[in-house]
Amino acid sequence: MINRPKGTTDLFGEELKYWYFIEETFKKVTKLYNYREIRTPIFEATDLFLRGVGEETDIVQKQMYTFEDKGGRSLTLRPEGTAPVMRAYIENSFMKDGLPQKFSYIGPVFRYEKPQAGRMRQFYQFGVELIGSPYALADFEVIRLAIDILNTLNLHNYKLYIGNIGCKNCRPKYREALKDYYQPKLNQLCFDCQKRFNTNILRLLDCKNEKCKPFQKEAPNTFDYLCDDCRKHFDELILYLDELDINYELDGHLVRGLDYYTRTVFEIKHSSLGTQDTIIGGGRYDGLIEELGGKSTPSVGFAGGIERVVLALKNENVNVPKLPNCQVYIAVLNEKARMPAFKLSQNLRGRGLIVEIDLMKRNIRNQMKYANRLNTQYVVIIGEDEIERGVFTVRDMETGQQIEVDEKWIENYIVEKFEG
RNA sequence: GUGACUGUAGCUCAGCUGGCAGAGCGUCUGACUGUGGAUCAGAUGGUCGUGGGUUCAAAUCCCACCAGUCACCCCA
């Protein structure tokens, strides 16, 4: 037997009701904010991610599905959604339509990682990008939008964390402060952190090792090292959040895994999720477009993980819309009934009803059993008797009551049952 | 990439001091010849994850690999 690849899943049945709910909610809310959907390829030139996401990141170093096509081009299944949208923005000259440009996307992304709860190799993200505004107004809109999505999904047990990692001017100062702080403590840290001290010192801040945690509290805070412009930007965002009633927690140690972030970073975590608890993550990336060869353009956005939101919905026991059931089953008792049955099924479907008809040539008893399992609401029975007398038998599967309806009225009779 | 735990019927699992591969649920059929849900009966269903080893004999013991789950790492 051939199994699905590691870290992938088949989505079907009842599970999909969560997915439909999330996808529809995302589309509904982004539409209200006037974001336009963009669908980019699932694979891109490998260079896009090397330059966009950053050569030093874990994503690029060990998580990309990279392959060569028959023309010798190096391609990569997208490991995230932002770089492709920025590429499309540059390539299609969207700036010609004026700024800001606001895009939404939803689809699969791929990272070669060891699967665990809330982490798959092929997983699904929804996200938005707001391109062109350097102001905290834009950061605020994007955060407001993320919160609106979660609220519309009827989720409650989430928390917004706001950080600011500065810009290319002030971040080096902060990095230095961190080094000064950790240097004398180096031999008290875990092995990984001793390595990270040189490779990616920001990561020392969210190490979960018990040896390292005590030092994190006292570690320098990003907020204390912001330059004047970053400070102003930060204060402005906080003002909006405070005035417009968005609950958040400041996190001066919030760092993110992708290199392109500048200034505002944020994460929304759900309390029920265990270790993979970030359901939405985002921030500002003012240097990304320029890095990819476009004209320097500030941007901000976020991405959310659908699998994790599904878990959150389940854990919070949110009532999500049910999948539709079969509404009418047409039981066919002999071959003479076959044609009238087909005609009725087509007419009812034409009126918008979900109709199933016997395809297995089963006897009446087994057709009833099958209809019962479909959870269908009405069964129309057509047999020799009915054909001769020009009527159809309609059975209400809930009450068990049965009535004969003249064939002239059958269609309207059933349609009316589903109105009101 | 590292670690822990787990792989037996479609599903949930028992069998594990080595000795004929089992149960419940599901599915199909019948009791009920034109009527579902309840009940009863019968049937269907297995590469015991894969490969090797030990043994007269392996689902059971040993080794390797594969897969799943959770955690590390990292992130949505």
Coordinates of all heavy atoms in Angstrom, one line a residue, chain B residues 6-25:
Chain B
rU6 P 5.5 1.7 24.4 OP1 4.8 0.8 25.4 OP2 6.8 1.3 24.0 O5' 4.6 1.9 23.2 C5' 3.2 2.2 23.3 C4' 2.6 2.5 22.0 O4' 3.3 3.6 21.3 C3' 2.5 1.4 20.9 O3' 1.5 0.5 21.2 C2' 2.4 2.2 19.6 O2' 1.0 2.6 19.4 C1' 3.2 3.5 19.9 N1 4.6 3.4 19.3 C2 4.7 3.6 18.0 O2 3.7 3.8 17.3 N3 5.9 3.6 17.5 C4 7.1 3.4 18.2 O4 8.2 3.4 17.6 C5 6.9 3.1 19.6 C6 5.7 3.2 20.1
rG7 P 1.4 -0.9 20.5 OP1 0.5 -1.8 21.3 OP2 2.8 -1.4 20.3 O5' 0.7 -0.6 19.2 C5' 1.3 -1.0 18.0 C4' 0.6 -0.4 16.8 O4' 1.4 0.6 16.3 C3' 0.4 -1.4 15.7 O3' -0.5 -1.0 14.7 C2' 1.8 -1.4 15.1 O2' 1.9 -1.8 13.7 C1' 2.2 0.1 15.2 N9 3.6 0.3 15.6 C8 4.2 0.2 16.8 N7 5.5 0.5 16.7 C5 5.8 0.7 15.4 C6 7.0 1.1 14.7 O6 8.1 1.2 15.2 N1 6.8 1.3 13.4 C2 5.6 1.2 12.7 N2 5.6 1.4 11.4 N3 4.4 0.9 13.3 C4 4.6 0.6 14.6
rU8 P -2.0 -1.5 14.7 OP1 -2.5 -1.3 13.4 OP2 -2.7 -1.1 15.9 O5' -1.7 -3.1 14.8 C5' -1.4 -3.9 13.7 C4' -2.0 -5.3 13.8 O4' -1.7 -5.9 15.0 C3' -3.5 -5.3 13.8 O3' -4.1 -5.1 12.5 C2' -3.8 -6.7 14.4 O2' -3.5 -7.7 13.4 C1' -2.8 -6.7 15.5 N1 -3.3 -6.1 16.7 C2 -4.1 -6.9 17.5 O2 -4.5 -8.0 17.1 N3 -4.6 -6.3 18.6 C4 -4.2 -5.1 19.1 O4 -4.7 -4.7 20.2 C5 -3.3 -4.4 18.3 C6 -2.9 -4.9 17.2
rA9 P -5.4 -4.3 12.3 OP1 -5.1 -3.3 11.3 OP2 -5.9 -3.9 13.6 O5' -6.4 -5.3 11.7 C5' -6.3 -5.8 10.3 C4' -7.6 -6.0 9.7 O4' -8.3 -7.0 10.4 C3' -8.6 -4.8 9.8 O3' -9.3 -4.7 8.6 C2' -9.5 -5.1 10.9 O2' -10.8 -4.5 10.8 C1' -9.6 -6.6 10.8 N9 -10.0 -7.3 12.0 C8 -10.1 -6.8 13.3 N7 -10.5 -7.7 14.1 C5 -10.7 -8.9 13.4 C6 -11.1 -10.2 13.7 N6 -11.4 -10.5 14.9 N1 -11.1 -11.1 12.7 C2 -10.8 -10.7 11.5 N3 -10.4 -9.5 11.1 C4 -10.4 -8.6 12.1
rG10 P -8.8 -3.8 7.4 OP1 -9.5 -4.3 6.2 OP2 -7.4 -3.7 7.5 O5' -9.5 -2.4 7.7 C5' -9.3 -1.3 6.8 C4' -10.3 -0.2 7.1 O4' -11.6 -0.8 6.9 C3' -10.3 0.2 8.6 O3' -9.4 1.3 8.8 C2' -11.8 0.6 8.8 O2' -12.0 1.9 8.4 C1' -12.5 -0.4 7.9 N9 -12.9 -1.6 8.6 C8 -12.6 -2.9 8.2 N7 -13.1 -3.8 8.9 C5 -13.8 -3.1 9.9 C6 -14.5 -3.6 11.0 O6 -14.7 -4.8 11.4 N1 -15.1 -2.6 11.8 C2 -14.9 -1.3 11.5 N2 -15.5 -0.4 12.3 N3 -14.2 -0.8 10.4 C4 -13.7 -1.8 9.7
rC11 P -8.5 1.2 10.2 OP1 -7.5 2.3 10.0 OP2 -8.1 -0.1 10.4 O5' -9.5 1.7 11.3 C5' -10.1 3.0 11.3 C4' -11.0 3.2 12.4 O4' -12.1 2.2 12.3 C3' -10.4 2.8 13.8 O3' -9.7 3.8 14.4 C2' -11.7 2.4 14.6 O2' -12.4 3.5 15.1 C1' -12.5 1.7 13.5 N1 -12.4 0.2 13.4 C2 -12.9 -0.6 14.4 O2 -13.6 0.0 15.4 N3 -12.8 -1.9 14.4 C4 -12.1 -2.5 13.4 N4 -12.0 -3.8 13.4 C5 -11.5 -1.7 12.3 C6 -11.6 -0.4 12.4
rU12 P -8.5 3.5 15.4 OP1 -7.9 4.8 15.7 OP2 -7.7 2.4 14.8 O5' -9.3 2.9 16.7 C5' -10.1 3.8 17.5 C4' -10.6 3.0 18.7 O4' -11.5 2.0 18.2 C3' -9.6 2.2 19.5 O3' -8.9 3.0 20.4 C2' -10.4 1.1 20.1 O2' -11.1 1.6 21.3 C1' -11.4 0.8 19.0 N1 -11.0 -0.3 18.2 C2 -11.3 -1.6 18.6 O2 -11.9 -1.8 19.7 N3 -11.0 -2.6 17.8 C4 -10.3 -2.5 16.6 O4 -10.0 -3.5 16.0 C5 -10.0 -1.1 16.2 C6 -10.4 -0.1 17.0
rC13 P -7.4 2.7 20.8 OP1 -7.1 3.3 22.1 OP2 -6.5 3.0 19.6 O5' -7.4 1.1 20.9 C5' -6.9 0.5 22.0 C4' -7.6 -0.8 22.3 O4' -8.4 -1.3 21.1 C3' -6.7 -2.1 22.5 O3' -6.2 -2.1 23.8 C2' -7.7 -3.2 22.3 O2' -8.6 -3.4 23.4 C1' -8.6 -2.7 21.1 N1 -8.2 -3.3 19.8 C2 -8.5 -4.6 19.6 O2 -9.1 -5.2 20.5 N3 -8.1 -5.2 18.4 C4 -7.5 -4.5 17.5 N4 -7.1 -5.1 16.4 C5 -7.1 -3.1 17.7 C6 -7.5 -2.5 18.9
rA14 P -4.9 -2.9 24.1 OP1 -4.5 -2.5 25.5 OP2 -4.0 -2.8 23.0 O5' -5.5 -4.4 24.2 C5' -6.3 -4.8 25.3 C4' -6.8 -6.2 25.1 O4' -7.4 -6.4 23.8 C3' -5.8 -7.3 25.2 O3' -5.3 -7.6 26.5 C2' -6.7 -8.5 24.7 O2' -7.6 -8.9 25.7 C1' -7.5 -7.8 23.6 N9 -6.9 -8.1 22.3 C8 -6.3 -7.3 21.4 N7 -5.9 -7.9 20.3 C5 -6.3 -9.2 20.5 C6 -6.3 -10.4 19.7 N6 -5.7 -10.4 18.5 N1 -6.8 -11.5 20.1 C2 -7.4 -11.5 21.4 N3 -7.5 -10.5 22.2 C4 -7.0 -9.3 21.7
rG15 P -3.8 -8.0 26.6 OP1 -3.6 -8.4 28.0 OP2 -2.9 -7.0 26.0 O5' -3.7 -9.4 25.8 C5' -4.3 -10.5 26.2 C4' -4.2 -11.6 25.1 O4' -4.7 -11.1 23.8 C3' -2.8 -12.1 24.8 O3' -2.4 -13.1 25.7 C2' -2.8 -12.5 23.4 O2' -3.2 -13.9 23.3 C1' -3.9 -11.6 22.8 N9 -3.4 -10.5 22.0 C8 -3.1 -9.2 22.4 N7 -2.6 -8.5 21.5 C5 -2.5 -9.3 20.4 C6 -2.0 -9.1 19.1 O6 -1.6 -8.0 18.6 N1 -2.1 -10.2 18.2 C2 -2.6 -11.4 18.6 N2 -2.6 -12.4 17.7 N3 -3.0 -11.7 19.9 C4 -3.0 -10.6 20.7
rC16 P -1.2 -12.9 26.7 OP1 -0.8 -14.3 27.2 OP2 -1.5 -11.9 27.6 O5' -0.1 -12.4 25.7 C5' 0.8 -13.3 25.0 C4' 2.2 -12.7 24.9 O4' 2.1 -11.5 24.1 C3' 2.7 -12.3 26.3 O3' 3.9 -12.8 26.6 C2' 2.7 -10.7 26.2 O2' 3.8 -10.2 26.9 C1' 2.6 -10.4 24.7 N1 1.8 -9.3 24.5 C2 2.2 -8.2 23.7 O2 3.4 -8.3 23.3 N3 1.4 -7.2 23.5 C4 0.2 -7.2 24.0 N4 -0.6 -6.1 23.8 C5 -0.3 -8.3 24.8 C6 0.5 -9.3 25.0
rU17 P 4.0 -13.2 28.2 OP1 2.7 -13.5 28.8 OP2 4.9 -12.1 28.8 O5' 4.9 -14.4 27.9 C5' 6.3 -14.3 28.2 C4' 6.6 -15.2 29.4 O4' 5.6 -15.0 30.4 C3' 6.5 -16.7 29.1 O3' 7.7 -17.2 28.4 C2' 6.3 -17.2 30.5 O2' 7.5 -17.3 31.1 C1' 5.4 -16.2 31.1 N1 4.0 -16.5 31.1 C2 3.5 -17.3 32.2 O2 4.3 -17.6 33.1 N3 2.2 -17.6 32.1 C4 1.3 -17.3 31.1 O4 0.2 -17.7 31.2 C5 1.9 -16.6 30.0 C6 3.2 -16.2 30.1
rG18 P 7.6 -17.4 26.9 OP1 7.5 -18.9 26.9 OP2 8.7 -16.7 26.1 O5' 6.4 -16.6 26.3 C5' 5.3 -17.1 25.7 C4' 5.3 -17.2 24.2 O4' 6.7 -17.2 23.7 C3' 4.7 -18.4 23.7 O3' 3.8 -18.0 22.6 C2' 5.8 -19.3 23.1 O2' 5.4 -20.0 22.1 C1' 6.8 -18.2 22.7 N9 8.2 -18.6 22.5 C8 9.1 -18.8 23.5 N7 10.2 -19.2 23.1 C5 10.1 -19.3 21.7 C6 11.0 -19.6 20.7 O6 12.2 -19.9 20.8 N1 10.4 -19.5 19.4 C2 9.1 -19.1 19.2 N2 8.7 -19.1 17.9 N3 8.2 -18.8 20.1 C4 8.8 -18.9 21.3
rG19 P 2.2 -18.4 22.8 OP1 1.5 -17.4 22.0 OP2 1.9 -18.7 24.2 O5' 2.2 -19.8 21.9 C5' 2.2 -19.8 20.5 C4' 1.6 -21.1 20.0 O4' 2.7 -22.1 20.1 C3' 0.4 -21.7 20.8 O3' -0.5 -22.3 19.9 C2' 1.0 -22.7 21.7 O2' 0.2 -23.7 22.0 C1' 2.2 -23.2 20.9 N9 3.4 -23.7 21.6 C8 3.6 -23.5 23.0 N7 4.8 -24.0 23.3 C5 5.3 -24.6 22.1 C6 6.5 -25.2 21.9 O6 7.4 -25.5 22.7 N1 6.7 -25.6 20.6 C2 5.8 -25.3 19.6 N2 6.1 -25.7 18.4 N3 4.6 -24.7 19.8 C4 4.4 -24.3 21.1
rC20 P -1.7 -21.5 19.2 OP1 -1.2 -20.2 18.8 OP2 -2.8 -21.6 20.2 O5' -2.1 -22.4 17.9 C5' -1.3 -22.3 16.8 C4' -2.1 -22.3 15.5 O4' -3.1 -23.4 15.5 C3' -3.0 -21.0 15.5 O3' -3.1 -20.6 14.1 C2' -4.4 -21.5 16.0 O2' -5.4 -20.8 15.5 C1' -4.4 -22.9 15.5 N1 -5.2 -23.8 16.3 C2 -5.9 -24.8 15.7 O2 -5.9 -24.9 14.5 N3 -6.7 -25.6 16.5 C4 -6.8 -25.4 17.8 N4 -7.5 -26.2 18.5 C5 -6.0 -24.4 18.5 C6 -5.3 -23.6 17.7
rA21 P -2.5 -19.2 13.7 OP1 -2.5 -19.3 12.2 OP2 -1.3 -19.0 14.4 O5' -3.6 -18.2 14.1 C5' -3.9 -18.0 15.5 C4' -4.8 -16.8 15.7 O4' -4.1 -15.6 15.2 C3' -6.1 -16.9 14.9 O3' -7.0 -17.5 15.7 C2' -6.4 -15.4 14.6 O2' -7.3 -14.9 15.6 C1' -5.1 -14.7 14.9 N9 -4.6 -13.9 13.8 C8 -4.3 -14.3 12.5 N7 -3.9 -13.3 11.8 C5 -3.9 -12.2 12.6 C6 -3.6 -10.9 12.4 N6 -3.2 -10.4 11.3 N1 -3.9 -10.0 13.5 C2 -4.3 -10.5 14.6 N3 -4.6 -11.8 14.9 C4 -4.4 -12.6 13.8
rG22 P -8.6 -17.5 15.6 OP1 -9.1 -18.7 16.2 OP2 -9.0 -17.1 14.2 O5' -9.0 -16.3 16.6 C5' -10.2 -15.7 16.5 C4' -10.5 -14.9 17.8 O4' -9.3 -14.2 18.1 C3' -11.6 -13.9 17.7 O3' -12.8 -14.5 17.9 C2' -11.2 -12.9 18.8 O2' -11.5 -13.3 20.0 C1' -9.6 -12.9 18.6 N9 -9.1 -11.9 17.7 C8 -8.7 -12.0 16.5 N7 -8.3 -10.9 15.9 C5 -8.5 -9.9 16.9 C6 -8.3 -8.5 16.9 O6 -7.9 -7.8 16.1 N1 -8.7 -8.0 18.2 C2 -9.2 -8.7 19.2 N2 -9.6 -8.0 20.3 N3 -9.4 -10.0 19.2 C4 -9.1 -10.5 18.0
rA23 P -14.1 -13.7 17.3 OP1 -15.3 -14.7 17.5 OP2 -13.8 -13.2 16.0 O5' -14.3 -12.5 18.4 C5' -14.7 -12.8 19.7 C4' -14.8 -11.5 20.5 O4' -13.5 -10.9 20.5 C3' -15.7 -10.5 20.0 O3' -17.1 -10.8 20.3 C2' -15.2 -9.2 20.6 O2' -15.6 -9.2 22.0 C1' -13.7 -9.5 20.6 N9 -13.1 -8.9 19.4 C8 -12.7 -9.5 18.2 N7 -12.1 -8.7 17.3 C5 -12.1 -7.5 18.0 C6 -11.6 -6.2 17.6 N6 -11.0 -6.0 16.4 N1 -11.7 -5.2 18.4 C2 -12.3 -5.4 19.6 N3 -12.8 -6.6 20.1 C4 -12.7 -7.6 19.2
rG24 P -18.3 -10.2 19.4 OP1 -19.5 -10.8 20.0 OP2 -17.9 -10.4 18.0 O5' -18.3 -8.7 19.7 C5' -18.7 -8.2 21.0 C4' -18.4 -6.7 21.1 O4' -17.0 -6.5 20.9 C3' -19.0 -5.9 19.9 O3' -20.4 -5.6 20.2 C2' -18.1 -4.6 19.9 O2' -18.5 -3.7 21.0 C1' -16.8 -5.2 20.2 N9 -16.1 -5.6 19.0 C8 -16.0 -6.8 18.3 N7 -15.3 -6.7 17.2 C5 -14.9 -5.4 17.1 C6 -14.2 -4.8 16.1 O6 -13.7 -5.2 15.0 N1 -14.0 -3.4 16.3 C2 -14.5 -2.8 17.4 N2 -14.3 -1.5 17.5 N3 -15.2 -3.4 18.4 C4 -15.4 -4.7 18.2
rC25 P -21.4 -5.4 18.9 OP1 -22.7 -5.2 19.5 OP2 -21.2 -6.6 18.1 O5' -20.9 -4.1 18.2 C5' -21.1 -2.9 18.7 C4' -20.3 -1.8 18.0 O4' -18.9 -2.2 17.9 C3' -20.6 -1.7 16.5 O3' -21.8 -0.9 16.3 C2' -19.4 -1.0 16.0 O2' -19.3 0.4 16.4 C1' -18.3 -1.7 16.7 N1 -17.8 -2.9 15.9 C2 -16.9 -2.6 14.9 O2 -16.6 -1.4 14.7 N3 -16.5 -3.6 14.1 C4 -16.9 -4.9 14.3 N4 -16.5 -5.8 13.5 C5 -17.8 -5.2 15.4 C6 -18.2 -4.1 16.2

